[in-house]
Amino acid sequence: MINIGLTTILATLALASSAFAAASGNTKTSTLTGTVGPGFTITMNKKTVKAGTYTITIHDLASIHDFHITGPGVNKATSVTGTGTTKWTVKLKKGTYHFVCDPHHTIMHGVLNVT
């Protein structure tokens, strides 16, 4: 009876530690957030990230702007007249990525560095 109870406890602890290890492995940030508008602003929540696969969530808050990101292997944009939330899954390679509002690129632009 003691062996069955001890075995059950050890099995439960092993499962819990496996789940904790898996959850801990997923804490690495794999998301980025960009915002354009409502005024003449365009931002990305990070300036530098490591190479890898990311989900980029764009909040387009103005129908006079777009959010356009380009770099090694990436060329994604929202529409100028559209608003709302857009999500892209992209593989970011080492290099420099530029994001701009195309109609206002001289004043609305930024850089994301991937190491």
Side-chain angles (χ1 to χ4, degrees):
M1 183 80 161
I2 293 175
N3 286 343
I4 293 173
L6 183 57
T7 302
T8 302
I9 290 170
L10 291 175
T12 302
L13 288 173
L15 285 173
S17 66
S18 295
F20 180 77
S24 296
N26 291 334
T27 59
K28 180 180 178 187
T29 302
S30 61
T31 61
L32 293 167
T33 303
T35 304
V36 61
F40 286 82
T41 60
I42 189 166
T43 61
M44 180 78 72
N45 69 324
K46 303 275 185 181
K47 301 234 185 252
T48 303
V49 296
K50 293 184 185 232
T53 301
Y54 288 82
T55 298
I56 302 176
T57 302
I58 302 298
H59 301 290
D60 189 337
L61 306 176
S63 60
I64 62 170
H65 302 308
D66 70 343
F67 190 107
H68 188 179
I69 185 167
T70 58
V74 174
N75 185 357
K76 298 282 189 179
T78 63
S79 71
V80 173
T81 57
T83 61
T85 300
T86 301
K87 289 188 179 189
W88 303 310
T89 300
V90 297
K91 184 171 184 177
L92 299 179
K93 300 174 186 173
K94 186 176 179 180
T96 302
Y97 292 76
H98 297 273
F99 55 92
V100 300
C101 167
D102 290 314
H104 308 105
H105 63 276
T106 58
I107 59 171
M108 296 176 65
H109 51 85
V111 173
L112 174 67
N113 293 303
V114 179
T115 59

